[in-house]
């Protein structure tokens, strides 16, 4: 395959984000195709036996098997790494494959992890249920409490794991403080950046060691495929993540990687527009419902911090309508916005976390995390904001607001 400038870091790292999003990682075949080629192949053939022996020995570059490398997946990995400002990235089958790999690849029995209280339900399940099965201890902290992170550190603390903004309560973590604290104590910080993506927030600019993604969300952006990614230093990716990934196989399928590559081309535009609409819709609803949670609104307790570490605050906000009954009647009255538990989509979607994304948690943990019975989460899409306002207005009236 012919390499173009899309794979030459000396050139691409000087490009600005919008250029990286469209051209970063592009690796053209001998046909000179404009769009990235989709290589649906599990294996590769070789002209002679020595070539394959050299590739397996790591002495010459080249593909050997798609669990180890695939050209389409490699293009996605290079593009995500560039946009993130990371040395390296490996794509994963889903966001949860990414989170599981990012944690398990570096943890052993006897290690300790500090995790944020507010998190996606499955991320909390990893901390609360999976890691303890392998004798890895976890401590859950209120992520907005800077002192709590420090107080939770033990001699065997290996990892800090959190998302910001968090799903679904939109808690914001002080990236510079928490990642800086981790660094000063030899702890690896793993940040789930799914809600913001590199288009709105780059945790590594604030000292994060590892940034992990559900690419299913804003990166694909059109609700089509599951995918994930883990970014880090070249050394960490090659020496810590890769031995785990190559032998356990949570790989991203080439087709899914190709879809996400196409999604990244418009990520910046979508993230900006959806963020603006989320703030606009939040303002419209603020006086109508008891509580709105969105870091882009002045009412958010960490609004100033969010504006410091994010260029825009993303498409997702939560509102509290007091009870499950009222939440369900609001959802049932929607005419345009869909009832759906996905996020990052170009369509506006709304769901009730307590009965869906966070239903697997105990009532106590849910309450502790702020996932109340009246909480609704909305993903604001690319539709005209006036149509979204009209739909929410009529649904709120039907629900008694
Ligand atoms: C959706 C989500 C995940 C899981 O991603 P999948 O692609 O669905 O596996 C992890 N973290 C956060 C913050 C998410 O929103």
């Amino acid at each position: 395959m012919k390499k173009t400038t899309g794979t030459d870091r000396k050139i691409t790292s000087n490009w600005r984000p919008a250029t990286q999003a469209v051209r970063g990682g592009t690796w053209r075949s001998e046909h000179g195709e404009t769009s990235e080629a989709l290589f649906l192949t599990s294996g590769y053939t070789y002209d002679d036996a020595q070539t394959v022996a050299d590739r397996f020995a790591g002495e010459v570059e080249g593909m050997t098997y798609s669990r180890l490398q695939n050209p389409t997946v490699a293009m996605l990995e290079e593009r995500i790494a560039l946009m993130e400002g990371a040395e390296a990235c490996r794509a994963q089958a889903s966001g949860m494959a990414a989170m599981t790999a990012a944690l398990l690849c570096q943890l052993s029995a006897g290690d300790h992890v500090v995790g944020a209280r507010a998190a996606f339900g499955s991320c909390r399940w990893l901390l609360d249920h999976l890691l303890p099965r392998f004798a890895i201890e976890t401590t859950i902290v209120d992520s907005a409490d800077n002192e709590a992170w420090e107080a939770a550190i033990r001699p065997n603390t290996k990892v800090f794991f959190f998302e910001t903004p968090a799903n679904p309560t939109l808690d914001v973590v002080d990236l510079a403080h928490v990642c800086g604290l981790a660094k000063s104590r030899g702890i690896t910080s793993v940040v789930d950046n799914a809600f913001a993506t590199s288009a709105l927030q780059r945790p590594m600019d604030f000292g994060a060691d590892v940034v992990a993604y559900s690419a299913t969300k804003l990166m694909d952006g059109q609700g089509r495929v599951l995918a994930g990614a883990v970014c880090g230093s070249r050394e960490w990716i090659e020496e810590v993540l890769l031995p785990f990934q190559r032998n356990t196989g949570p790989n991203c399928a080439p087709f899914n990687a190709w879809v996400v590559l196409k999604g990244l081309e418009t990520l910046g535009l979508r993230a900006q527009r959806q963020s603006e609409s989320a703030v606009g819709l939040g303002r419209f609803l603020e006086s109508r419902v008891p509580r709105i949670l969105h870091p882009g609104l002045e009412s958010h307790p960490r609004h100033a911090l969010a504006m410091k570490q994010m260029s825009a605050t993303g498409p997702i906000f939560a509102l509290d309508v007091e009870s499950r009954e009222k939440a369900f009647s609001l959802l049932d009255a929607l005419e345009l916005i869909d009832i759906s538990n996905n996020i990052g989509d170009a369509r506006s979607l709304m769901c009730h976390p307590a009965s869906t994304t966070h239903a697997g948690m105990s009532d106590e943990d849910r309450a502790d995390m702020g996932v109340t019975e009246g909480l609704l989460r909305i993903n604001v899409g690319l539709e005209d904001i006036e149509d979204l306002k009209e739909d929410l207005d009529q649904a709120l009236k039907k629900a008694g607001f």
Side-chain angles (χ1 to χ4, degrees), residues 17 43 84 106 117 128 140 152 168 204 206 211 271 294 300 323 397:
E84 197 63 48
Q106 59 177 321
R117 183 174 66 185
D128 297 343
I140 301 298
M204 285 184 178
F206 299 89
V211 179
H294 184 71
H300 189 283
S323 67
K397 282 181 185 142

Side-chain angles (χ1 to χ4, degrees), residues 261-308:
L261 268 168
K262 298 286 105 189
L264 289 179
E265 294 181 6
T266 56
L267 173 65
L269 292 174
R270 289 183 286 101
Q272 276 301 331
R273 167 73 184 272
Q274 289 177 247
S275 295
E276 280 161 28
S277 292
V279 170
L281 214 53
R283 292 225 164 91
F284 170 74
L285 292 176
E286 249 179 337
S287 57
R288 296 278 296 273
V289 297
R291 201 160 66 108
I292 294 253
L293 301 162
H294 184 71
L297 297 171
E298 290 75 9
S299 56
H300 189 283
R302 294 196 122 180
H303 171 66
L305 173 65
M307 299 318 285
K308 204 172 81 188

Side-chain angles (χ1 to χ4, degrees), residues 24-35:
T26 303
W27 195 5
R28 289 197 170 111
S29 80
E30 68 272 28
H31 303 297
E33 64 281 350
T34 324
S35 173

